[in-house]
Amino acid sequence: MDLKLQMQHYINGKWVGADSEKTRDIINPYNQEVIATVPEGDETEAKEAIAAARAAFDQGDWATTPSTERGAIVRKIAELIERDKEELAYLESLDTGKTVEESRGDMDDIAGVFRYYAEIADKDGGEIIPSPIPNSVSRVVHEPVGVCGQITPWNYPLLQASWKLAPALVTGNTLVMKPSEITPLTTIKTFQLMEEAGVPAGVVNLVLGAGDTIGAELSSSEDVDLISFTGGIVTGKKIMQAASSNVKKLALELGGKNPNIIFADADFELAVDQALNGVFFHAGQICSAGTRLIVEESIHDDFVQALVDRVNNFKLGSGFDEDTQMGPLISAEHLAKVEKYVEAGIKEGATLAAGGKRPEDPELQKGFFYLPTIFTDCTTDMTVVQEEAFGPVITVEKFSTEEEAVKLSNDSIYGLAGGVFTNDIVKAERCAAKMRMGTVWINEFNLYFPHAPWGGFKQSGIGRELGKLGLEEYTETKHIFQNLKPEQINWF
Ligand code: NAD
């Protein structure tokens, strides 16, 4: 495929190289080949991009452009993503190792996100509220926040970017995006598409490079009004601290250690299928992966056996092979991290029922592959049950009562998402009401769509993406009161 990518930063409507001439190789996780070389920016480019976004917000027309016109541009971006879907899917799979079929699905979802926000862009005209004074008008309007810093992770590079770009744009903000330094390709391509769609210069800016330089500059800059971050909890805490510099608005989408409760009365085959999909899709590198299975005692052994039988037959391979079900992990460092969690599981007394090592297949030795791994005899105090391995590792805990299942599900610092499988709908609703997490699926796992808010309770984050709440993150609320018949107060 002919990739006409400008491997550069995009600042103030221009494609520019790094001032320092430093570069970074982008690696294919399937075979460790270099697929692209991009400039490595730092605080210098970040400051230039922030200045461009600041000027576009303060002196440009974007914030006051009618929302219908902004919506039309965002709709055009959706159309261009659909037009270039194959190229984008190819790039995403090359960069992340995920199957190209999955990447095609991501691109459909991404276009859907841009379309959803384009459609609701002009539906909010504010609100007239009751006034305590006769002959007055009291109204509430929503305005853009200003300059937004947007920092994204490597697991769903463009999907996570779309959840930030679309709502920020339709509400009239300007922005600087910093994609993960290891997976920038589809974001670069999308900035080309935004340029083609007619987004004015300075409104969207892209800086490529590391988190502790560019990300830190965005988080601490007094010219940035909001940070929207998706990534790990350790980075999220650093960003929160840095953002206190000018009391920025914060939207944090952090990790998850998501429980999936399987009751004995669930449809067994459906629950097995969804439990596997819930964790091993994209090799478990999903914030909402159902990595903590909580299974009712009476079906526990059969359930585990069914999981083991299935995972031992998974087809690992290139994301471009039609048969491949699971690709590699993202990097050598990440593979080492997953191995460390598996070692901890074994050391702390969990039983390895499947996987627990790299595959021996000679075809897979160049890639960062890890076998799908199942731990049984798990307890909530184990590191592998509490911390996010972010890989193809599932832990299984047993329960005997509904109360116990709910208690286990909530025994985590995280609260992103969880699932309940049962054919007793009343029981399902009782559990859903008590599970402390931003999304609860009943007889389903890992489904998200543009209309439904996404985000976490507890340490899984602050704020919401997607849905109307995802739009509200990018607006300030202003109350305008007008007295049509003013009178003197005569107090002083
Ligand atoms: P990460 O925190 O290492 O990096 C995320 C981004 O932050 C990258 O762009 C990185 O360069 C940047 N960064 C690093 N240090 C920074 C700093 N000091 N200041 C500012 N930015 C900095 O996360 P990752 O490894 O790329 O992604 C995996 C994590 O993302 C997992 O924990 C996963 O659960 C989480 N995630 C959450 C969601 C969600 O919706 N809640 C979605 C996807 C991923």
Side-chain angles (χ1 to χ4, degrees):
M1 189 172 284
D2 179 23
L3 304 174
K4 294 192 202 74
L5 275 190
Q6 298 256 18
M7 297 295 178
Q8 288 180 308
H9 312 290
Y10 184 67
I11 300 174
N12 207 16
K14 293 196 175 64
W15 293 94
V16 290
D19 286 354
S20 68
E21 298 196 352
K22 261 171 68 182
T23 57
R24 179 188 292 268
D25 288 340
I26 306 299
I27 306 294
N28 180 344
Y30 170 67
N31 55 16
Q32 302 193 45
E33 281 174 11
V34 175
I35 48 179
T37 300
V38 300
E40 176 77 8
D42 58 22
E43 292 86 351
T44 309
E45 286 80 9
K47 284 190 173 117
E48 286 165 15
I50 293 167
R54 188 78 261 166
F57 187 79
D58 293 341
Q59 292 139 40
D61 298 330
W62 186 247
T64 50
T65 297
S67 50
T68 312
E69 281 177 37
R70 291 196 300 251
I73 291 180
V74 171
R75 193 172 302 112
K76 179 81 183 155
I77 299 170
E79 286 163 13
L80 296 176
I81 287 169
E82 281 159 351
R83 184 195 70 189
D84 292 351
K85 172 178 160 180
E86 278 307 311
E87 182 184 343
L88 283 161
Y90 173 79
L91 285 174
E92 199 76 308
S93 287
L94 205 59
D95 213 351
T96 62
K98 67 171 77 174
T99 68
V100 73
E101 201 47 40
E102 190 188 341
S103 293
R104 287 192 185 108
D106 286 357
M107 296 314 143
D108 290 339
D109 290 347
I110 290 159
V113 170
F114 280 100
R115 271 189 198 287
Y116 169 76
Y117 282 114
E119 294 315 319
I120 65 169
D122 60 0
K123 304 296 179 289
D124 175 17
E127 191 188 3
I128 302 287
I129 58 169
S131 163
I133 295 178
N135 299 309
S136 67
V137 183
S138 193
R139 64 188 206 275
V140 175
V141 293
H142 296 122
E143 296 182 356
V145 176
V147 175
C148 305
Q150 303 188 325
I151 304 173
T152 54
W154 48 259
N155 64 332
Y156 278 82
L158 192 53
L159 188 78
Q160 297 302 329
S162 72
W163 293 9
K164 300 183 191 308
L165 292 169
L169 281 176
V170 294
T171 43
N173 296 278
T174 62
L175 60 96
V176 179
M177 176 163 276
K178 192 208 88 64
S180 168
E181 54 275 35
I182 45 182
T183 55
L185 300 187
T186 48
T187 307
I188 298 175
K189 168 78 189 168
T190 300
F191 270 71
Q192 287 181 359
L193 298 181
M194 289 196 291
E195 185 182 30
E196 186 181 342
V199 178
V203 171
V204 292
N205 302 276
L206 173 70
V207 187
L208 307 169
D212 56 2
T213 52
I214 300 159
E217 181 63 36
L218 287 173
S219 311
S220 60
S221 167
E222 301 211 350
D223 279 327
V224 174
D225 303 300
L226 174 153
I227 285 281
S228 176
F229 167 75
T230 303
I233 196 165
V234 174
T235 316
K237 287 179 183 179
K238 282 187 201 163
I239 288 175
M240 245 180 131
Q241 276 182 344
S244 69
S245 60
N246 62 335
V247 196
K248 283 182 185 57
K249 286 187 78 174
L250 270 180
L252 301 178
E253 296 289 343
L254 308 179
K257 193 71 195 175
N258 312 287
N260 189 3
I261 303 175
I262 316 288
F263 283 100
D265 62 6
D267 177 330
F268 189 89
E269 288 306 321
L270 171 92
V272 169
D273 178 69
Q274 293 259 359
L276 291 169
N277 227 44
V279 72
F280 294 116
F281 207 59
H282 194 19
Q285 302 169 116
I286 303 185
C287 54
S288 54
T291 46
R292 284 192 297 142
L293 263 190
I294 300 171
V295 183
E296 192 160 357
E297 208 164 17
S298 58
I299 59 160
H300 172 275
D301 293 355
D302 291 344
F303 201 84
V304 168
Q305 192 56 53
L307 295 177
V308 171
D309 291 346
R310 295 268 290 267
V311 301
N312 283 338
N313 289 313
F314 277 9
K315 170 91 176 73
L316 275 58
S318 157
F320 295 98
D321 253 340
E322 260 185 29
D323 308 339
T324 296
Q325 293 169 302
M326 212 173 90
L329 298 176
I330 190 71
S331 65
E333 295 74 35
H334 191 55
L335 175 59
K337 183 179 146 189
V338 170
E339 287 182 313
K340 201 184 80 190
Y341 277 111
V342 172
E343 278 164 27
I346 294 167
K347 204 165 149 215
E348 292 172 22
T351 305
L352 197 56
K357 57 181 181 180
R358 299 183 195 190
E360 278 151 22
D361 182 347
E363 297 269 304
L364 304 178
Q365 297 313 307
K366 281 194 183 153
F368 308 123
F369 285 93
Y370 199 77
L371 287 175
T373 297
I374 301 175
F375 274 123
T376 57
D377 301 316
C378 296
T379 51
T380 45
D381 54 337
M382 292 175 177
T383 311
V384 70
V385 176
Q386 284 299 332
E387 294 183 19
E388 195 185 31
F390 216 55
V393 181
I394 197 165
T395 62
V396 189
E397 294 165 85
K398 253 186 230 170
F399 73 89
S400 50
T401 65
E402 182 183 323
E403 289 67 31
E404 196 190 347
V406 171
K407 190 161 176 272
L408 288 172
S409 78
N410 286 329
D411 190 354
S412 170
I413 59 164
Y414 292 108
L416 186 59
V420 187
F421 283 81
T422 171
N423 277 331
D424 179 342
I425 189 63
V426 179
K427 183 160 70 180
E429 288 293 334
R430 264 196 319 261
C431 290
K434 289 190 200 137
M435 290 166 76
R436 302 273 304 145
M437 44 213 77
T439 298
V440 175
W441 294 288
I442 298 174
N443 294 327
E444 178 64 62
F445 211 94
N446 257 346
L447 183 75
Y448 60 87
F449 44 92
H451 310 70
W454 181 259
F457 284 23
K458 302 197 264 181
Q459 295 190 38
S460 284
I462 299 175
R464 292 292 178 270
E465 293 195 299
L466 298 181
K468 288 187 192 154
L469 288 175
L471 196 74
E472 284 172 19
E473 295 288 346
Y474 287 96
T475 63
E476 288 283 15
T477 299
K478 184 181 279 177
H479 174 216
I480 302 177
F481 180 86
Q482 176 161 193
N483 196 333
L484 299 166
K485 204 175 162 196
E487 286 173 17
Q488 280 189 224
I489 296 167
N490 291 326
W491 180 290
F492 297 108

